[in-house]
Amino acid sequence: MTNVIIGEFVGTILLVLLGDGVCANVTLNNSGFKAAGPLFIAIGWGLAVALPAAAFSGICPASYNPALTIALFADGTLAAADGYTIAVIIEMIIAEMAGGFIGAVLVWVAFKPQFDASSDLGDCTAPGVRNLPYNILQEAIATFWLVFAIKAACGAFDLGTFGVFLTIVSCGTTFGGLTGYAMNAARDTAPRLAFAILPIKGKGDADWAYGLTAPLIGPVIGALVAVAIYAALPL
């Protein structure tokens, strides 16, 4: 299962590099795409998830998301009979989180002049309205749609990675204004750690009270509910 772990690690690096790179492109000073807008970010994140999924789906599940990995193990898609033991699932989650951290560091390296030119970066990703129980629910709802739609797109409707792209864009345009639609600890909590550690000029608070709750708990709840309902429907 070594290739699986490597695939999840490298794929998550690319996902966060491309996705957080879009956000840096749109928000940092001296970027040619500054203020391109939320639709630009949603499309960019769609590509950031779909392209690594297409590139590495031959050697790994291309989950790149601890919540999705847990859900696919729970519904038997990642079966112990195929080598996906609990130990392997844990290794996959560690690889995804490590990949998210490295991807965020690479974004800082690539955009360092733009980071240095942005004197007030503010805090890490935060909800539009801070209410932690409700923010957990918002992340759960967004992740429910993410996982249910991906299961349908890659299963019943056989849309492949194009279906993944459409799903991410849909999540961004529908739920992006609520919590930033993390839906994935590897693209929120792991980059949040990089934000906390890196010597980023003008940065604010990493906000661990939020980062260790909604982006961790909500996605797992939403993903598990999604696979349970999908399994119960005649699709």
Side-chain angles (χ1 to χ4, degrees):
M1 303 299 286
T2 301
N3 287 344
V4 168
I5 305 304
I6 293 174
E8 290 295 317
F9 174 64
V10 176
T12 310
I13 290 176
L14 292 176
L15 181 150
V16 172
L17 173 60
L18 296 173
D20 281 5
V22 170
C23 295
N25 234 347
V26 171
T27 59
L28 296 178
N29 292 340
N30 294 343
S31 167
F33 287 171
K34 183 174 174 60
L39 182 59
F40 186 89
I41 292 175
I43 293 172
W45 264 110
L47 294 170
V49 177
L51 293 178
F56 291 94
S57 60
I59 64 170
C60 70
S63 168
Y64 315 138
N65 181 340
L68 179 56
T69 298
I70 291 170
L72 293 178
F73 179 70
D75 78 350
T77 301
L78 302 180
D82 296 325
Y84 291 99
T85 62
I86 292 178
V88 170
I89 296 301
I90 292 172
E91 290 174 0
M92 287 175 62
I93 292 172
I94 292 171
E96 290 157 0
M97 294 297 286
F101 178 86
I102 297 299
V105 171
L106 291 176
V107 170
W108 176 69
V109 171
F111 286 87
K112 190 174 186 305
Q114 284 72 30
F115 273 103
D116 291 343
S118 304
S119 58
D120 184 10
L121 294 174
D123 300 335
C124 261
T125 302
V129 176
R130 190 183 183 89
N131 180 323
L132 290 181
Y134 206 81
N135 300 148
I136 291 171
L137 175 63
Q138 290 171 324
E139 280 289 322
I141 292 171
T143 311
F144 169 85
W145 171 240
L146 168 74
V147 174
F148 188 90
I150 285 177
K151 290 283 289 187
C154 297
F157 298 103
D158 195 25
L159 295 177
T161 52
F162 181 65
V164 173
F165 168 77
L166 293 177
T167 299
I168 298 299
V169 174
S170 171
C171 288
T173 53
T174 302
F175 303 111
L178 302 179
T179 59
Y181 71 114
M183 308 178 295
N184 180 354
R187 85 173 192 95
D188 185 289
T189 307
R192 194 178 296 268
L193 178 60
F195 178 86
I197 292 174
L198 290 171
I200 300 173
K201 180 182 176 181
K203 70 179 180 180
D205 184 23
D207 192 6
W208 288 111
Y210 176 77
L212 292 177
T213 53
L216 283 175
I217 300 169
V220 173
I221 295 172
L224 289 173
V225 173
V227 296
I229 292 179
Y230 184 83
L233 295 176
L235 295 176

